[in-house]
Amino acid sequence: MTAAVREGMAWIPTGSFLMGSDDFYPEEAPARQTEVEGFWIDERPVTVADFRRFVKATGHVTVAERAPEAADFPDADPALLVPGSLVFHPTRGPVDLSDFRNWWSYLPGASWARPEGPGSDVYTRAAHPVTHVAYEDALAYAAWAGKALPTEAEWEYAARGGLVGAVYAWGNAPFPDGRVMANTWHGEFPWQNLSVDGFTGTSPVGSYPANGYGLYDMTGNVWEWTVDPFEHEPPASPCCGGAAPGAHERRLVIKGGSHLCAPNYCLRYRPAARQSETPDTSTSHLGFRCVARE
């Protein structure tokens, strides 16, 4: 143990683990032994209530709430150079899964406080993970809180909860004893959501069992930012919705999967799974949690 206990955070001891996987998507390979220094990590993703306190204290305006500069995005459709964010919308029936534009769209006016765009709000979702936050928004919150964002290795080590080589954060069975262990998509994506757990979108943090380190929602619910660059070709199934109009080509690793992950399309609610996202993009299923290294 290092410094005094940090409220709302769990201590992850120094250790090594088998990072990645050779059994699922190519961007996760190769599985390799990785060492991690001890650190603190938030027990839960940053919530709407947490982010609201940050905004009130600092006056921060998120990337989604600012109009992009045309000079910064010369290839973008000028009509889309307005404040907004990427929002998921279910389809009416089966669609071509190779084109994420069938279920994602850039929605003007969508933001952390208006997750489904104008007319929506978060008044009843204070305990849900905040979404529509770009990388710089997550960095700004972390700095304000006296914390940082995790590396991919830190995140995955914590997500595994002390289990060695397990497929999921809770073990190898997707539904142990019939229990739903994370907020993911049940049914045929992107049109049939059976909502067997009672949620069709994000869920209040802590609604599902914690992993072995006492961490909630490490997989499912929302994807989470890390600081690591994504140095592979983007996955063939970009379940994260691609990028905002004209977004920069630089990509970062995001982890954990979300409530939109389904076995028939994106089985990425696993500690080893990873996706890429451009730092200036925000979506309705991407959030974050923080770490502290002291």
Side-chain angles (χ1 to χ4, degrees):
M1 188 66 69
T2 62
V5 172
R6 285 176 169 261
E7 184 178 356
M9 303 188 82
W11 173 250
I12 310 300
T14 296
S16 64
F17 73 108
L18 190 64
M19 182 175 178
S21 173
D22 297 319
D23 301 325
F24 290 90
Y25 299 104
E27 68 272 8
E28 301 168 21
R32 64 275 186 198
Q33 202 67 27
T34 303
E35 295 186 0
V36 179
E37 293 292 325
F39 63 99
W40 293 93
I41 187 167
D42 287 343
E43 294 172 349
R44 297 170 169 81
V46 172
T47 65
V48 168
D50 297 329
F51 201 78
R52 182 185 293 120
R53 285 191 290 271
F54 158 65
V55 169
K56 287 184 176 179
T58 65
H60 181 82
V61 178
T62 63
V63 171
E65 295 171 294
R66 303 177 227 152
E69 295 288 340
D72 292 337
F73 305 102
D75 298 326
D77 180 350
L80 294 179
L81 292 177
V82 295
S85 189
L86 288 167
V87 175
F88 170 81
H89 51 87
T91 60
R92 293 185 177 181
V95 294
D96 178 3
L97 294 180
S98 68
D99 188 353
F100 64 83
R101 291 170 297 184
N102 284 322
W103 57 88
W104 283 104
S105 61
Y106 185 77
L107 183 60
S111 70
W112 73 271
R114 300 273 186 263
E116 293 81 43
S120 65
D121 60 58
V122 290
Y123 295 132
T124 62
R125 287 179 272 185
H128 287 231
V130 68
T131 56
H132 296 294
V133 282
Y135 181 63
E136 77 171 64
D137 302 319
L139 283 177
Y141 176 95
W144 170 76
K147 302 178 183 179
L149 297 183
T151 65
E152 181 180 9
E154 287 172 336
W155 191 99
E156 185 171 331
Y157 182 43
R160 290 185 176 277
L163 298 179
V164 179
V167 173
Y168 302 103
W170 54 85
N172 290 315
F175 302 101
D177 298 323
R179 298 181 68 191
V180 176
M181 301 296 287
N183 183 0
T184 62
W185 186 282
H186 302 276
E188 290 294 312
F189 183 87
W191 65 278
Q192 180 194 49
N193 191 342
L194 301 177
S195 305
V196 299
D197 53 1
F199 299 109
T200 56
T202 59
S203 53
V205 299
S207 296
Y208 300 84
N211 74 359
Y213 288 142
L215 307 177
Y216 295 90
D217 298 290
M218 289 301 290
T219 55
N221 214 357
V222 295
W223 286 91
E224 300 182 12
W225 287 107
T226 76
V227 299
D228 284 19
F230 190 90
E231 297 176 339
H232 301 268
E233 286 296 314
S237 55
C239 61
C240 293
H248 298 146
E249 293 184 1
R250 173 178 168 242
R251 288 180 172 272
L252 297 170
V253 175
I254 58 175
K255 298 283 282 184
S258 79
H259 62 276
L260 299 181
C261 283
N264 75 304
Y265 177 65
C266 178
L267 209 169
R268 290 188 171 92
Y269 45 93
R270 299 172 290 105
R274 59 207 300 265
Q275 269 277 16
S276 71
E277 191 54 272
T278 55
D280 48 1
T281 293
S282 60
T283 75
S284 58
H285 73 337
L286 174 56
F288 68 102
R289 77 178 69 209
C290 300
V291 299
R293 305 180 184 96
E294 61 177 42

